């Protein structure tokens, strides 16, 4: 199935945009435009003087974003990863913003377009780049990475128990011929993974790991969170949707760290109440998709939304 043939459904659409508490004249950022579901709802709630900056690596997503921007002068489009978040705002002459939303990970159109090489459901060139205009493909990396590096990537980013066996098999196979397609990588994983959770393809964790590594996804999340939080006005909101534990762990720890004080030693001559206000405060508990949403869109099952609000406290990135 191609991306054009898939009806993309935005996950936690209303929950995420509601969490931003959109002000009609505010300035907002959508760090992962995708096909614009969240962005369009934000625009519905913005007034004529509001502004929305959208980011994406994917050329197809950027084409959709530019089409939206051509129709709506409130939209500015940035083609690039959100690690350059603050630099992009500076270039646009934007100071502080009222909210930022990040819908992390891979999008449904990327998965469902077999030619992109993200899915083992299609036998296609092994690409996996979100931005197909730059960087090395998964096939290029697998052609030169040593066995230890491949093992560490699959173990750390895929949490795969059989990472060492898969890495060894990849190196052995490429001595015979290059690994160029998704089908070839899926076959290697299937032959190397001895047991697997019920209902999960043996290649699932390997494909996740290689994709995360190729696109530097976790590094980008770690980089953008302090930038986005630091760019917020007092009362501005940071909303992040994560889809797997590696992403969510980073988001959860960041928000926890910057919404609380480190425990004071018993001998400290200052009360915690007298300490400066933390720069963030948590807005409720983590939210998950409702049973109705998961039934309508199974890809929402693992989604977790976390929200924090900027206080008057000074922000210093860790």
């Amino acid at each position: 199935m191609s991306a054009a043939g898939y009806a993309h459904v935005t996950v936690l659409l209303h929950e995420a945009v509601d969490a931003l508490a959109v002000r009609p004249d505010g300035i907002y950022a959508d760090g992962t435009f995708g096909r614009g579901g969240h962005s369009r709802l934000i625009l519905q709630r913005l007034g004529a003087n509001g502004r929305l900056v959208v980011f994406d690596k994917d050329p197809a997503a950027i084409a959709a974003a530019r089409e939206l921007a051509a129709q709506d002068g409130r939209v500015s489009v940035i083609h690039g990863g959100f690690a350059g978040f603050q630099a992009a705002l500076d270039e646009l002459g934007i100071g502080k913003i009222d909210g930022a939303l990040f819908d992390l990970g891979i999008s449904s159109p990327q998965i469902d377009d077999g030619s992109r090489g993200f899915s083992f459901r299609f036998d296609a060139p092994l690409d996996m780049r979100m931005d197909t205009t730059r960087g090395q493909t998964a096939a290029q990396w697998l052609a030169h990475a040593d066995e230890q590096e491949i093992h560490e990537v699959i173990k750390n980013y895929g949490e795969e128990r059989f990472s060492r066996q898969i890495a060894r098999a990849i190196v052995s196979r490429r001595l015979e011929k290059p690994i160029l397609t998704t089908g070839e990588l899926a076959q290697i994983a299937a032959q190397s993974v001895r047991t697997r959770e019920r209902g999960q393809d043996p290649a699932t964790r390997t494909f996740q790991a290689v994709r995360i590594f190729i696109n530097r996804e976790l590094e980008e999340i770690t980089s953008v969170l302090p930038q986005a939080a630091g760019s917020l006005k007092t009362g501005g909101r940071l909303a992040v949707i994560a889809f797997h534990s590696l992403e969510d762990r980073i988001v959860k720890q960041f928000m926890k760290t910057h919404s609380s004080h480190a425990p004071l030693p018993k001998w400290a001559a200052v009360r915690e109440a007298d300490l400066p206000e933390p720069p963030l405060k948590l807005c409720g508990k983590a939210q998950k998709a409702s049973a109705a949403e998961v039934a309508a869109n199974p890809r929402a099952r693992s989604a977790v939304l976390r929200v924090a609000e900027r206080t008057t406290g000074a922000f210093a990135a860790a």
Side-chain angles (χ1 to χ4, degrees):
M1 185 185 294
S2 69
Y6 180 77
H8 176 57
V9 180
T10 304
V11 173
L12 291 168
L13 172 60
H14 290 278
E15 292 88 343
V17 177
D18 287 349
L20 291 176
V22 175
R23 302 169 185 171
D25 60 348
I27 303 173
Y28 293 86
D30 183 347
T32 39
F33 181 79
R35 291 301 181 269
H38 290 117
S39 285
R40 289 182 172 87
L41 187 55
I42 292 170
L43 288 168
Q44 288 179 23
R45 300 183 183 186
L46 283 176
N49 295 322
R51 191 169 182 184
L52 177 65
V53 183
V54 302
F55 295 73
D56 213 291
K57 289 181 175 182
D58 192 307
I62 288 298
R66 286 175 175 158
E67 184 177 336
L68 178 62
Q71 302 166 0
D72 193 325
R74 297 173 296 173
V75 179
S76 299
V77 180
I78 305 297
H79 181 195
F82 45 65
F85 188 87
Q86 187 60 60
L89 295 184
D90 292 343
E91 189 171 336
L92 291 170
I94 294 173
K96 296 293 185 179
I97 63 174
D98 296 276
L101 170 63
F102 297 92
D103 183 358
L104 302 176
I106 193 169
S107 70
S108 293
Q110 290 169 332
I111 298 172
D112 292 302
D113 182 352
S115 68
R116 299 296 298 275
F118 286 109
S119 176
F120 44 78
R121 292 187 291 117
F122 311 95
D123 191 16
L126 190 57
D127 193 316
M128 292 199 188
R129 293 173 299 167
M130 291 181 179
D131 186 347
T132 54
T133 68
R134 67 193 81 177
Q136 67 178 342
T137 67
Q140 289 169 336
W141 176 66
L142 288 174
H144 68 74
D146 64 37
E147 182 178 323
Q148 181 64 20
E149 181 182 13
I150 296 171
H151 153 63
E152 290 177 356
V153 165
I154 296 174
K155 177 184 178 183
N156 295 333
Y157 295 154
E159 299 179 301
E160 172 60 73
R161 288 178 295 160
F162 300 103
S163 56
R164 193 169 295 281
Q165 292 91 328
I166 295 169
R168 187 178 304 122
I170 286 170
V171 171
S172 176
R173 178 71 64 86
R174 77 186 185 194
L175 291 175
E176 302 171 14
K177 64 185 184 72
I179 301 166
L180 300 177
T181 70
T182 54
E184 290 168 337
L185 181 59
Q187 181 188 49
I188 292 169
Q191 293 172 345
S192 304
V193 173
R194 296 193 296 272
T195 62
R196 175 54 60 229
E197 296 90 336
R198 184 184 298 275
Q200 186 179 90
D201 190 282
T204 298
R205 294 177 181 274
T206 296
F207 271 66
Q208 172 186 298
V210 176
R211 186 204 85 217
I212 289 172
F213 174 79
I214 289 295
N215 294 287
R216 297 181 57 81
E217 292 177 39
L218 302 187
E219 291 88 345
E220 287 220 335
I221 297 169
T222 301
S223 172
V224 77
L225 291 174
Q227 295 182 56
S231 74
L232 293 174
K233 299 176 183 176
T234 300
R237 297 280 185 89
L238 171 63
V240 187
I241 302 171
F243 284 85
H244 59 74
S245 60
L246 296 175
E247 295 172 339
D248 187 51
R249 195 175 302 143
I250 295 170
V251 177
K252 180 181 180 179
Q253 187 59 45
F254 175 83
M255 290 186 175
K256 179 180 178 181
T257 297
H258 293 285
S259 61
S260 59
H261 298 293
L264 290 172
K266 293 181 179 180
W267 49 260
V270 62
R271 297 178 304 169
E272 188 168 351
D274 295 329
L275 293 172
E277 184 178 25
L280 297 177
K281 68 176 181 180
L282 301 181
C283 299
K285 297 181 179 179
Q287 296 183 59
K288 295 189 175 184
S290 66
E293 180 173 0
V294 171
N297 179 20
R299 289 176 180 168
R301 182 180 296 110
S302 61
V304 179
L305 169 65
R306 297 185 187 275
V307 185
E309 181 175 301
R310 187 75 164 84
T311 71
T312 58
F315 187 89

